[in-house]
Amino acid sequence: MWLKPEEVLLKNALKLWVTQKSSCYFILQRRRGHGEGGGRFTGATLEEINQHWEWLEQNLLHTLSVFDNKEDIASFVKGKIKALIAEETSSKLAEQEEEPEKFREALVKFEARFNFPEAEKLITYYSCCCWKGRVPRQGWLYLSVNHLCFYSFFLGKELKLIIPWVDVQKLERTSNVFMTDTIRITTHNKERDFSMFLNLDEVFKIMEQLADITLRRLLDNEIFELDPDLQEPTQITKRDLEARAQNEFFRAFFRLPRKEKLHEVIDCSLWTPFSRCHTAGRMFASDSYVCFASKEDGCCNVVLPLREVVSIEKMEDTSLLPNPIIISIRSKMAFQFIELKDRESLVENLLMRLKKVHANSPVHYDNLKNEDSSATMCGDQKFGALKLSQNGNKADKETSPLPNSEALIAIFHQSGTQSPDSRMSREQIKASLWSDHFVEYGRTVCMFRTEKIRKLVAMGIPESLRGKLWLLFSDAVTDLASHPGYYGSLVEESMGKCCLVTEEIERDLHRSLPEHPAFQNETGIAALRRVLTAYAHRNPKIGYCQSMNILASVLLLYAKEEEAFWLLVAVCERMLPDYFNHRVIGAQVDQSVFEELIRERLPELAEHMKDLSTLASISLSWFLTLFLSIMPLESAVNVVDCFFYDGIKAIFQLGLAVLEANAMELCSSKDDGQALMILSRFLDHVKNEESPRPPIGNHHTFFSDDQEPYPVTDIADLIRDSYEKFGDQSVELIEHMRCKHRIRVLQGHEDTTKQNVLRVVIPEVSIPPEDLEELYDLFKREHMISCYWEQTSPAFQHHDPNRPYAEQYLIDAQQFTNLYKLVSPWTCGAHTEILAERTFRLLDENMDHLIAFKGFAICLDIMYNGEMNEKIKLLYRLHLPPALTENDKDSQSPLKNPLLSTSRPLVFGKSNGDAIDYQKQLKQMLKDLAKEKDKTEKELPKMSQREFIQFCKTLYSMFHEDPEENDLYQAIATVTTLLLQIGEVGQRSSSSGSCSDECMDDVQTEASASTSDQDSVFADMGKIPQRYSQALSMTEGDWTVSLEHILASLLTEQSLVNFFEKPLDIKSKLENAKINQSSLRTNEMSRQSE
């Protein structure tokens, strides 16, 4: 066994332990009286123990000689052994879970238990417990690409849970009374706890990845782009998810472009000349970069763009330098890596990618021939390898319309009025410190990044170096050098074009640092216009968002125009992902993370301010503009320095420091307005005493109207406090918190959309709000199901978060038909699908083959809650081809304004004795109809005989399986006869096509006689009886019947009136629909595949 490395007291140890082997660093002992004769030592055989001892001698003994003290040796050995144990454990788990036979067996059970289509790819499965109250149910958890499923069969009871990832509102690790560590999944109205996993960390990470991918793919398709390996959900594997998680961390940690794909992660050690030893860490190799991060956070990081690499060579393998390689870069530096596993294949892969990078972006070394890197001063324009990006291409310079070849701050130079000499001397001291640092740590993008450079950045970067170091820290310098002439061509293509984006840019140009002289004239304004317009042209998904103008204007102050453009690219696309879009999802996610950090790090403030969303709304501008809009410029640029070096972590910790500095006042504040005043006044008085420029007045001074002078805070002190008190937030922790809170933010947007849609629809319908909410969920779920299982689903294009709330989710004809079958009360057997298609065409007013929830809900409301005349009018319209085209639709919704006045109800007795009163009621009703018809803006078309046949077919189909089926068939036969005679009389009468009262009397008498012997029920419900078909065909020509005639005729039969006016229960339909929605689509897909 491995004992914790500690000093061994041999005198005492000899009493209980017998030494087997020893060296200058290690001792192998066995317990006296145990392990003799080749037995087992602490669970391992003697052979295994000897192998481990040999490994120590061969791999560690020589390496340990480079350490100066015992503490370093003990620390190194402990870390190494822990890593080996973790690696062995993970590899064993991987071998167990990747057994294909067991996975196939689990897949068969998954498909049988949950009846999903084949497109629902199973990712992995685990044995666990699901808690139901205080009772744990042991079973199997199945994680598929779109769902989390749990199955248990315990004590004769079967339990099935299906939770779509898109319904997950919160995913967290927690504990309950019985279990110390559980995974809690929260949906709209339920919480589920899962526990007793063999490896809970792994399960939670896989869940987090699946929830994140699915939610962003389905709900945030505005700008979210999946990695190529995850584009096809049916091909996603557990290994892909693990690789994505590692990729996300790699890109976030080194702030690299999203297109970078990580290929290798290898434990190794890097020679660090400033500490004169090898530093243990990990190498990350991607498409265009080789990066290194030390195991000790912040000790040493290196970013090597392959574009800067000259050669990659293997060195001779020795005991002191096991498996070494040397990577040489253009600025005459070399990086030595040792202890690389599988060195041969690694070097081969690196050389292949190096060749590819150089082939795609050739590097010219002519401008570096005479460079003396040791003599270069930190303010020199060469600045190491940066000279390439500044020289550029002569041809590009001649054609490039860039008038600004230097930073605006150099053009609009301002001299300080107070102690200019002392201020400049401070700048010179800083520049000297940086110059010394460059000599020891490197001056290019490939420099060693250590805690020392972080301290220099926190002090404030000298103005002469600020723009250059921003380029290095963000790696925008690599983009700049890789795309010669790109910015110039963008400017040429975009300038002069007028669109909504350019109008927004023009409106904001003069609001960008208006107090700075650089933006009080056309030189600065024109440069800002070109940068913003070029970026909008480059990235139309983002285009232009407010606050980009403030960022770009500050970048232009300290960097050349083209450099400022690439810095803006780095900020918008890498360093602040998802910030600059229509919904600013990224900024909202970080506000949510900030709230959690406040609760953790400032608990007293969080306890006082129960609703931290107030602070989040105040701090939103801190994140969007990096404090530039709420802090004096000369102070805010120091914050930007830290941001370019440390990323968003710098903004989080500075925000916490600001809140801590004002915690007492905030705790005593009475309302949100006072809290805003406190913070704004504090930030307005954050000064930079070391700035060589004079203070620039800002537009926040209206907060500083105090009678007494407000105490000033120095920005250097504030930044130092933020690092000392809150600088321990790791990139990994922030990314984990972002992932967790992104789920909450996206679901918050979905809830907002839902509430806004319901608020618009509720006044239009009689469906109870709780049922309407269930209906909306079904409508949205139908859209989601299409996204789940249709590989080239157009449903993805039907969801656009940029559209108005009511139009964000749209469904097509097939999706509508599926919903119609589930929730419509007008089911007509085989005829249902035809009726659904006609209903869809009726609702599709703009002929785009899509309908929104509002139209669907209003239509369904008529079917369930409409009065009889509304229902008949809807049925009538469903049988008028073409179904609601642009030529014949009303200006108002076709589903409102019933023709028949409902102020006086028509009640008919069951007896036939009141014939005279009945005739009078019918005549009066026809007069009312005529009056109502005159009021309508447009008369409904009359129905031809072909349309009337289809109308009757639908009615016959609707009556099938009704309890009053026989009475309804007899009644409709009577009505059909009546309407046939009305049509014939109308054909013989005046050209207006309407019957007089006398005609109606005759028709009514004939109808009574003809139906007196009617006592049969039609066997085929899908067809009109033969004698009526013959009658209809005989009246071919101008035979027509109007809505008024049909409604009046239907009202003559009490059974028909009862059928259309009986109350219908939508709740039971909705409950059944929730249960059967997925299975209906599964069965449909199965039929299509056969």
Side-chain angles (χ1 to χ4, degrees):
M1 71 179 173
W2 293 108
L3 294 177
K4 185 177 179 181
E6 293 177 352
E7 186 176 357
V8 177
L9 299 176
L10 291 176
K11 182 183 291 187
N12 296 329
L14 287 172
K15 297 178 182 178
L16 297 176
W17 299 87
V18 178
T19 301
Q20 295 287 112
K21 295 182 181 180
S22 65
S23 69
C24 54
Y25 295 106
F26 300 98
I27 183 167
L28 176 64
Q29 295 181 325
R30 65 173 174 81
R31 187 72 176 268
R32 187 179 297 277
H34 296 271
E36 297 176 343
R40 298 180 65 84
F41 285 25
T42 63
T45 64
L46 183 60
E47 182 180 355
E48 289 173 333
I49 291 173
N50 287 328
Q51 287 177 354
H52 293 160
W53 182 264
E54 289 174 6
W55 186 91
L56 288 173
E57 288 185 326
Q58 294 173 5
N59 294 277
L60 283 186
L61 288 183
H62 299 292
T63 307
L64 297 179
S65 61
V66 301
F67 293 97
D68 296 331
N69 55 64
K70 294 181 179 180
E71 288 77 12
D72 291 345
I73 293 173
S75 176
F76 177 80
V77 172
K78 282 193 289 185
K80 195 73 175 177
I81 299 305
K82 284 180 180 178
L84 288 171
I85 294 171
E87 182 180 346
E88 185 177 4
T89 303
S90 62
S91 63
K92 285 182 178 178
L93 287 171
E95 288 172 5
Q96 291 171 5
E97 293 183 1
E98 291 174 7
E99 292 181 16
E101 291 299 326
K102 286 187 177 181
F103 188 84
R104 275 196 290 268
E105 182 182 340
L107 179 60
V108 170
K109 290 180 179 178
F110 170 72
E111 292 174 345
R113 288 166 176 171
F114 300 102
N115 192 33
F116 285 126
E118 291 183 8
E120 186 64 20
K121 172 76 184 298
L122 177 65
I123 303 296
T124 187
Y125 62 98
Y126 300 95
S127 172
C128 69
C129 282
C130 175
W131 290 81
K132 195 171 183 182
R134 296 187 175 186
V135 180
R137 298 289 298 267
Q138 178 63 39
W140 289 94
L141 182 72
Y142 298 90
L143 304 181
S144 66
V145 69
N146 296 303
H147 298 84
L148 177 150
C149 304
F150 179 80
Y151 179 85
S152 173
F153 190 82
F154 185 67
L155 297 177
K157 292 184 179 180
E158 186 179 56
L159 174 66
K160 286 185 184 180
L161 290 178
I162 299 176
I163 303 175
W165 292 117
V166 78
D167 288 350
V168 173
Q169 294 192 327
K170 192 185 292 184
L171 180 63
E172 58 188 340
R173 292 177 65 165
T174 182
S175 59
N176 58 27
V177 179
F178 308 99
M179 295 298 299
T180 56
D181 207 359
T182 64
I183 296 176
R184 174 168 294 171
I185 296 173
T186 306
T187 56
H188 180 61
N189 51 9
K190 285 186 180 178
E191 288 182 350
R192 297 284 186 185
D193 288 345
F194 298 90
S195 65
M196 298 187 189
F197 293 97
L198 181 64
N199 188 343
L200 190 136
D201 288 337
E202 178 195 296
V203 178
F204 187 74
K205 286 178 181 177
I206 295 292
M207 284 184 176
E208 206 171 45
Q209 285 288 310
L210 282 169
D212 186 56
I213 289 172
T214 307
L215 282 165
R216 297 179 75 181
R217 180 168 60 93
L218 299 179
L219 304 184
D220 192 27
N221 54 358
E222 179 187 3
I223 64 165
F224 177 60
E225 295 179 4
L226 279 170
D227 296 338
D229 293 340
L230 304 176
Q231 293 286 0
E232 180 50 66
T234 58
Q235 303 300 319
I236 294 177
T237 64
K238 179 184 170 186
R239 189 172 295 172
D240 290 333
L241 294 174
E242 292 169 345
R244 176 184 185 262
Q246 207 166 35
N247 252 317
E248 292 282 325
F249 169 75
F250 163 68
R251 291 191 290 247
F253 188 85
F254 295 104
R255 297 186 296 282
L256 299 180
R258 179 162 186 80
K259 65 181 180 180
E260 282 302 307
K261 181 180 178 181
L262 185 63
H263 294 288
E264 293 103 1
V265 180
I266 304 169
D267 285 336
C268 64
S269 295
L270 170 67
W271 175 254
T272 47
F274 52 87
S275 61
R276 299 180 183 179
C277 69
H278 284 91
T279 300
R282 289 191 297 173
M283 174 192 285
F284 300 82
S286 67
D287 293 330
S288 307
Y289 292 84
V290 175
C291 302
F292 175 82
S294 59
K295 289 186 177 178
E296 184 182 343
D297 188 34
C299 175
C300 177
N301 297 329
V302 175
V303 177
L304 304 176
L306 289 181
R307 195 178 186 283
E308 297 291 317
V309 174
V310 175
S311 65
I312 301 173
E313 301 170 303
K314 291 180 287 186
M315 291 177 61
E316 183 181 354
D317 188 8
T318 66
S319 57
L320 289 175
L321 299 174
N323 296 328
I325 69 170
I326 293 286
I327 298 180
S328 303
I329 62 171
R330 290 168 41 207
S331 56
K332 302 178 183 179
M333 286 180 67
F335 296 85
Q336 182 191 76
F337 296 89
I338 64 170
E339 298 177 333
L340 290 156
K341 288 187 178 180
D342 200 9
R343 179 180 63 161
E344 301 296 325
S345 63
L346 172 65
V347 172
E348 183 180 348
N349 292 334
L350 289 176
L351 287 172
M352 180 180 65
R353 291 195 284 272
L354 177 65
K355 183 178 179 181
K356 185 177 180 181
V357 167
H358 283 186
N360 293 336
S361 180
V363 180
H364 306 287
Y365 299 101
D366 295 342
N367 57 343
L368 297 173
K369 282 182 181 178
N370 301 321
E371 182 178 322
D372 183 3
S373 60
S374 62
T376 307
M377 293 182 62
C378 50
D380 193 355
Q381 289 300 309
K382 290 182 179 178
F383 205 72
L386 286 177
K387 187 179 176 184
L388 177 70
S389 65
Q390 296 173 15
N391 286 352
N393 237 330
K394 288 183 179 178
D396 293 331
K397 275 202 167 185
E398 291 174 356
T399 59
S400 175
L402 306 180
N404 293 348
S405 58
E406 55 184 329
L408 292 178
I409 206 162
I411 301 175
F412 298 92
H413 182 75
Q414 288 179 292
S415 299
T417 57
Q418 298 179 355
S419 307
D421 295 337
S422 64
R423 290 190 177 190
M424 289 311 298
S425 65
R426 291 174 189 169
E427 281 286 290
Q428 290 167 358
I429 292 170
K430 287 183 182 179
S432 176
L433 290 172
W434 278 98
S435 180
D436 295 341
H437 186 275
F438 293 145
V439 172
E440 189 172 5
Y441 293 85
R443 65 179 62 251
T444 71
V445 70
C446 306
M447 68 174 67
F448 291 99
R449 307 183 189 205
T450 65
E451 192 61 35
K452 184 178 177 181
I453 198 172
R454 179 177 280 120
K455 291 177 180 178
L456 285 175
V457 171
M459 289 167 57
I461 298 174
E463 289 203 348
S464 59
L465 298 178
R466 179 163 277 140
K468 304 303 179 185
L469 286 172
W470 287 357
L471 283 168
L472 292 182
F473 294 152
S474 65
D475 195 36
V477 64
T478 301
D479 289 333
L480 174 66
S482 303
H483 299 83
Y486 175 78
Y487 175 66
S489 62
L490 275 181
V491 171
E492 288 180 352
E493 292 170 16
S494 60
M495 293 306 291
K497 293 184 179 179
C498 186
C499 61
L500 183 61
V501 171
T502 57
E503 290 175 6
E504 291 178 357
I505 290 173
E506 288 296 326
R507 189 166 57 244
D508 286 348
L509 285 177
H510 294 278
R511 304 175 186 172
S512 310
L513 298 187
E515 66 277 1
H516 198 284
F519 298 99
Q520 293 170 357
N521 64 83
E522 188 54 32
T523 303
I525 294 293
L528 182 59
R529 178 187 294 113
R530 286 191 294 271
V531 169
L532 293 174
T533 307
Y535 184 79
H537 191 71
R538 163 191 164 85
N539 192 342
K541 283 188 176 181
I542 292 179
Y544 170 75
C545 296
Q546 285 189 346
S547 78
M548 285 174 64
N549 59 320
I550 297 174
L551 288 173
S553 59
V554 173
L555 298 177
L556 281 166
L557 286 178
Y558 294 98
K560 298 178 183 179
E561 190 172 312
E562 186 174 7
E563 294 171 348
F565 169 79
W566 286 111
L567 283 169
L568 186 65
V569 169
V571 171
C572 294
E573 298 176 13
R574 299 206 297 269
M575 304 186 74
L576 295 178
D578 299 349
Y579 265 57
F580 303 98
N581 56 55
H582 178 69
R583 300 189 295 173
V584 291
I585 293 291
Q588 292 186 51
V589 170
D590 281 351
Q591 292 310 295
S592 190
V593 171
F594 191 49
E595 286 183 38
E596 182 175 344
L597 290 174
I598 294 171
R599 291 190 187 94
E600 289 180 1
R601 308 305 294 268
L602 302 172
E604 293 181 2
L605 178 62
E607 186 177 349
H608 173 76
M609 303 190 74
K610 299 296 183 183
D611 185 11
L612 289 178
S613 60
T614 301
L615 287 180
S617 63
I618 295 173
S619 63
L620 180 62
S621 62
W622 304 357
F623 288 79
L624 282 172
T625 66
L626 309 179
F627 285 89
L628 289 166
S629 64
I630 41 82
M631 194 183 281
L633 178 63
E634 63 273 10
S635 303
V637 289
N638 283 29
V639 178
V640 180
D641 294 342
C642 298
F643 169 75
F644 274 116
Y645 184 76
D646 267 323
I648 195 64
K649 169 187 170 182
I651 308 301
F652 279 122
Q653 65 193 32
L654 188 65
L656 291 172
V658 169
L659 293 179
E660 189 203 37
N662 294 274
M664 290 183 64
E665 288 188 73
L666 289 172
C667 286
S668 61
S669 63
K670 298 177 180 178
D671 53 38
D672 299 348
Q674 190 175 357
L676 174 62
M677 183 76 72
I678 291 167
L679 291 172
S680 299
R681 187 174 53 185
F682 174 83
L683 291 167
D684 193 49
H685 286 80
V686 175
K687 304 300 181 183
N688 185 358
E689 300 297 336
E690 298 183 359
S691 173
R693 308 289 175 184
I696 295 176
N698 59 70
H699 50 280
H700 301 286
T701 53
F702 64 88
F703 286 114
S704 308
D705 55 355
D706 309 315
Q707 299 295 327
E708 300 178 4
Y710 190 82
V712 171
T713 303
D714 189 73
I715 184 62
D717 295 336
L718 188 62
I719 290 175
R720 185 176 61 253
D721 285 348
S722 74
Y723 274 104
E724 290 176 355
K725 297 177 181 178
F726 308 106
D728 56 347
Q729 308 293 336
S730 67
V731 172
E732 190 172 14
L733 174 65
I734 290 174
E735 288 304 306
H736 166 71
M737 294 172 71
R738 277 177 162 178
C739 189
K740 179 174 74 172
H741 287 281
R742 190 181 294 114
I743 294 173
R744 190 188 69 80
V745 169
L746 289 175
Q747 292 291 14
H749 276 275
E750 291 299 300
D751 289 342
T752 301
T753 299
K754 179 179 178 178
Q755 295 307 318
N756 279 281
V757 171
L758 293 178
R759 189 174 67 247
V760 171
V761 176
I762 284 174
E764 304 284 339
V765 299
S766 302
I767 300 174
E770 61 273 14
D771 293 339
L772 194 64
E773 187 174 350
E774 293 283 352
L775 186 63
Y776 178 88
D777 291 339
L778 285 171
F779 185 90
K780 177 181 169 182
R781 193 174 298 124
E782 188 62 37
H783 163 86
M784 292 299 172
I785 289 174
S786 298
C787 297
Y788 292 162
W789 299 324
E790 295 179 17
Q791 293 187 359
T792 56
S793 173
F796 281 111
Q797 302 168 10
H798 303 168
H799 176 232
D800 184 357
N802 289 325
R803 282 197 293 248
Y805 290 118
E807 299 174 13
Q808 284 190 16
Y809 286 104
L810 304 171
I811 58 174
D812 58 23
Q814 184 57 56
Q815 293 167 327
F816 177 85
T817 300
N818 295 334
L819 275 179
Y820 186 94
K821 292 176 182 177
L822 288 167
V823 298
S824 173
W826 292 356
T827 52
C828 313
H831 195 64
T832 303
E833 193 163 331
I834 297 172
L835 191 61
E837 292 171 359
R838 290 175 184 167
T839 308
F840 180 82
R841 289 194 294 270
L842 176 66
L843 297 176
D844 184 19
E845 297 184 8
N846 57 3
M847 305 295 287
D848 64 351
H849 308 293
L850 297 168
I851 65 166
F853 175 72
K854 182 178 179 181
F856 174 71
I858 292 175
C859 176
L860 212 60
D861 182 55
I862 291 175
M863 295 178 182
Y864 276 98
N865 303 314
E867 297 180 357
M868 180 177 176
N869 59 322
E870 293 178 294
K871 295 178 182 179
I872 298 305
K873 183 179 178 182
L874 176 58
L875 277 170
Y876 185 86
R877 279 192 166 276
L878 292 177
H879 297 84
L880 290 178
L884 197 63
T885 62
E886 290 291 331
N887 296 327
D888 63 8
K889 71 173 182 179
D890 292 338
S891 59
Q892 297 180 353
S893 170
L895 307 178
K896 298 179 187 176
N897 301 328
L899 290 174
L900 180 60
S901 173
T902 58
S903 57
R904 179 171 49 85
L906 293 171
V907 181
F908 301 102
K910 292 186 178 180
S911 65
N912 295 327
D914 301 330
I916 298 175
D917 293 338
Y918 176 82
Q919 295 284 348
K920 288 181 180 179
Q921 275 192 322
L922 190 56
K923 290 179 182 179
Q924 184 60 44
M925 182 186 64
L926 288 173
K927 289 178 182 178
D928 290 344
L929 286 169
K931 290 178 183 178
E932 290 290 339
K933 186 175 74 173
D934 293 339
K935 295 178 184 178
T936 58
E937 295 182 11
K938 186 175 180 181
E939 182 180 354
L940 285 174
K942 293 186 178 181
M943 191 174 275
S944 68
Q945 76 159 14
R946 183 177 64 83
E947 297 155 6
F948 180 67
I949 291 172
Q950 297 299 323
F951 179 82
C952 292
K953 276 186 179 181
T954 299
L955 288 177
Y956 278 115
S957 302
M958 288 171 64
F959 300 151
H960 184 50
E961 294 185 358
D962 189 273
E964 305 293 329
E965 187 175 9
N966 290 340
D967 292 342
L968 289 169
Y969 286 147
Q970 291 180 9
I972 196 60
T974 302
V975 169
T976 304
T977 303
L978 175 61
L979 289 169
L980 285 170
Q981 294 175 355
I982 290 174
E984 291 172 1
V985 171
Q987 189 177 16
R988 293 194 300 266
S989 62
S990 63
S991 59
S992 64
S994 60
C995 292
S996 63
D997 291 348
E998 290 75 10
C999 292
M1000 191 66 203
D1001 290 343
D1002 295 340
V1003 169
Q1004 181 63 40
T1005 305
E1006 293 176 19
S1008 301
S1010 63
T1011 58
S1012 60
D1013 59 349
Q1014 182 69 33
D1015 56 358
S1016 63
V1017 178
F1018 305 116
D1020 188 355
M1021 296 306 116
K1023 300 180 181 178
I1024 300 295
Q1026 185 177 5
R1027 55 180 174 149
Y1028 293 111
S1029 298
Q1030 291 173 352
L1032 286 172
S1033 62
M1034 291 168 57
T1035 59
E1036 190 84 359
D1038 295 328
W1039 187 98
T1040 58
V1041 66
S1042 68
L1043 171 64
E1044 294 85 351
H1045 295 145
I1046 291 176
L1047 185 57
S1049 302
L1050 290 173
L1051 286 169
T1052 62
E1053 292 294 331
Q1054 185 64 38
S1055 57
L1056 294 176
V1057 173
N1058 293 340
F1059 176 82
F1060 282 107
E1061 292 194 345
K1062 67 183 177 184
L1064 299 172
D1065 180 25
I1066 194 173
K1067 285 185 183 294
S1068 58
K1069 275 279 189 181
L1070 293 174
E1071 288 298 322
N1072 290 330
K1074 282 197 293 185
I1075 297 170
N1076 300 321
Q1077 190 172 21
S1078 294
S1079 58
L1080 178 68
R1081 178 58 69 91
T1082 302
N1083 296 335
E1084 178 192 330
M1085 294 180 70
S1086 300
R1087 286 196 304 271
Q1088 291 175 354
S1089 61
E1090 290 175 357

